[in-house]
């Protein structure tokens, strides 16, 4: 179990709200010096609580505004690591999850347009262990949130 105290949780909340905030700004909000905040952030990174910092880009701005969620059904019992290995070469796969239910996995695809999406789905179906897919094309995003800390 990872050890986090109330200060760590407040630092994480501040970083979730604004990952570009300086250690001095965060320290001012939580009552610590900038070096103390840096030490705590480094500890949270080392423990894997914080997994990095990233820019969030609108996929449509990059020309990849078409998306779909695809149920993947495999031949027999395929381990999760093999599914991952089979999906990694496909650049249109932006996320994949093992799931309960009839499907073995759910894959989130992004593409430039419906034609590109169709090509990506054809390449997905060519992966040797996939027996069939069931696709749902996204018409619009109604709500999309970044994970928040509990508490």
């Amino acid at each position: 179990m990872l050890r986090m105290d109330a200060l760590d949780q407040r630092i994480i909340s501040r970083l979730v709200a604004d990952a570009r905030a300086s250690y001095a700004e965060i320290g001012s909000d939580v009552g610590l010096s900038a070096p103390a905040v840096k030490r705590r952030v480094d500890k949270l990174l080392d423990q894997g609580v914080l997994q990095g910092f990233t820019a969030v880009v609108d996929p449509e701005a990059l020309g990849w505004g078409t998306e779909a969620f695809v149920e993947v059904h495999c031949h027999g019992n395929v381990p999760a690591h093999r599914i991952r290995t089979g999906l990694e070469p496909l650049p249109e796969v932006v996320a994949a999850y093992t799931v309960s239910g009839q499907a073995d996995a759910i894959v989130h695809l992004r593409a430039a347009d419906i034609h590109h999406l169709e090509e990506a789905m054809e390449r997905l179906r060519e992966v040797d262990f996939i027996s069939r897919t069931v696709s749902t094309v996204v018409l619009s995003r109604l709500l999309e949130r970044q994970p928040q800390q509990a508490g």
Side-chain angles (χ1 to χ4, degrees), residues 118-132:
E118 182 179 20
E119 290 173 350
M121 289 171 41
E122 287 172 1
R123 283 185 279 111
L124 176 65
R125 286 190 295 266
E126 290 173 357
V127 175
D128 66 342
F129 54 77
I130 295 178
S131 62
R132 70 183 181 96

Side-chain angles (χ1 to χ4, degrees), residues 27-100:
S28 175
D29 288 348
V30 302
L32 293 174
S33 68
V37 171
K38 182 187 181 320
R39 282 191 299 274
R40 284 177 175 261
V41 168
D42 289 345
K43 177 189 76 168
L44 293 167
L45 284 164
D46 289 343
Q47 291 177 336
V49 173
L50 291 174
Q51 296 182 351
F53 304 90
T54 187
V56 179
V57 179
D58 179 0
E60 290 185 40
L62 299 177
W64 285 53
T66 303
E67 60 188 315
F69 290 90
V70 182
E71 292 182 10
V72 171
H73 300 261
C74 300
H75 299 288
N77 187 14
V78 179
H81 73 273
R82 184 162 176 235
I83 295 172
R84 178 186 173 128
T85 301
L87 299 175
E88 281 179 327
L90 304 172
E92 297 85 358
V93 174
V94 295
Y97 313 91
T98 56
V99 295
S100 62

